Amino acid sequence: MRLLGLSAVVATFAIQTVSAANRFTGIVAANSKSSGACRTASDWNAVLDSAKAQGFTRLRILGNDCNAFDLATGSAKARGIKVLAGVYANSGTMAASNAQIDNDVGAFVNAVRKYGADAFDGITIGNEVNDSAINIMNKVWSVRGYLRDVIGYYGPVSSVHTWVYIRDNPVMCQGDRVTANAHAFFDGTPASNAGPFVSYTVYPALVGACPGKSIVITESGWPSRGGSINQAVPSLANEQAALRALNCAASGGATIYAFEADDLAWKSNDNERR
């Protein structure tokens, strides 16, 4: 799943009224290019130059592979863009990924020391990890305590999961904020309703499950190709319609990261590419 590419986001917004500027909080970008090769510092500069030109103020990265905590953060800070750093559980469960997670948290500590805590908009531990909610949150709480003790980092620490998983497992609300992925496409919703889906289905469900918590939709987008799910049909036109609808939801107060910056051919199926 993807956006049309950063340049096409501008075109999507340009056909709206002037008041409907880019209201997304940020954009998600993978640490590798469409070919699967790691992004270089120059590649990150190009991505973030485009992101800044289009009004994005946040960048979400899902892991530290390809030295992303250093390269992406350095490029983002130079452009006044904050990074939501993600630590991926590469081996599936939290227990199996424990050593790798700890290594990546160490890389985050180094990045905070190098670029400052204000370069970051928080850190997430895991993205849709296939594990029990309590196992996920035990690791989140452990990392949060470590970061506070070691470097005095008090930025938000949480774990990202699907909005349905968080709704059904309220212990996931016990991070510093709620960080949820919400794709209308996978619920079979028409593209034009992608924004209302977030505003009137996802947000109320999460507010009910996690009262008093701030909510961040860490990714939402639409595929340009691939198989359909009920009324959710992949196409370029529907992708643009979904982006416009999501932008309206963001204008109404929803905190949304657009998914995602590149057409990633290395992903396993078209619906997951962009």
Side-chain angles (χ1 to χ4, degrees):
M1 184 176 291
R2 51 93 168 180
L3 297 182
L4 294 169
L6 283 172
S7 61
V9 178
V10 172
T12 299
F13 297 142
I15 63 177
Q16 303 179 73
T17 63
V18 174
S19 62
N22 182 358
R23 303 300 184 190
F24 285 100
T25 296
I27 190 163
V28 183
N31 301 338
S32 56
K33 298 180 285 189
S34 181
S35 65
C38 285
R39 290 196 203 275
T40 64
S42 177
D43 294 327
W44 279 116
N45 289 343
V47 168
L48 287 154
D49 279 340
S50 186
K52 181 177 176 64
Q54 294 173 53
F56 290 104
T57 62
R58 300 287 189 274
L59 168 73
R60 180 187 174 214
I61 54 177
L62 276 66
N64 185 45
D65 51 305
C66 301
N67 196 26
F69 286 175
D70 185 18
L71 296 180
T73 305
S75 179
K77 183 169 184 177
R79 290 157 179 80
I81 294 174
K82 290 183 180 289
V83 173
L84 175 55
V87 172
Y88 203 80
N90 290 346
S91 297
T93 66
M94 287 302 197
S97 306
N98 190 62
Q100 168 257 312
I101 292 172
D102 288 348
N103 286 338
D104 286 352
V105 170
F108 177 76
V109 167
N110 291 337
V112 170
R113 286 172 170 160
K114 182 175 181 178
Y115 298 109
D118 63 350
F120 295 94
D121 186 35
I123 180 172
T124 59
I125 309 302
N127 181 70
E128 300 184 13
V129 179
N130 185 19
D131 205 339
S132 71
I134 192 62
N135 285 347
I136 293 170
M137 292 309 300
N138 277 335
K139 190 60 181 178
V140 169
W141 297 328
S142 174
V143 169
R144 179 172 62 185
Y146 175 80
L147 293 174
R148 290 179 177 179
D149 290 344
V150 172
I151 55 172
Y153 180 78
Y154 282 82
V157 183
S158 61
S159 185
V160 174
H161 221 296
T162 65
W163 71 275
V164 171
Y165 188 88
I166 296 171
R167 179 199 66 189
D168 294 345
N169 295 275
V171 70
M172 295 292 294
C173 306
Q174 299 307 309
D176 292 318
R177 61 185 175 186
V178 176
T179 42
N181 295 338
H183 293 282
F185 175 81
F186 291 113
D187 280 70
T189 301
S192 60
N193 286 339
F197 173 79
V198 168
S199 296
Y200 302 118
T201 298
V202 175
Y203 256 76
L206 293 177
V207 168
C210 312
K213 289 286 186 175
S214 63
I215 297 168
V216 178
I217 303 303
T218 40
E219 59 183 64
S220 195
W222 197 269
S224 63
R225 61 184 184 274
S228 299
I229 301 176
N230 297 327
Q231 298 181 71
V233 180
S235 72
L236 292 176
N238 282 343
E239 188 171 56
Q240 288 183 318
L243 286 174
R244 288 193 294 269
L246 288 165
N247 193 55
C248 287
S251 297
T255 301
I256 304 173
Y257 279 77
F259 189 84
E260 65 186 302
D262 301 281
D263 194 0
L264 299 175
W266 54 264
K267 288 191 174 182
S268 60
N269 65 75
D270 281 338
N271 289 153
E272 290 289 340
R273 288 171 184 162
R274 76 172 189 180

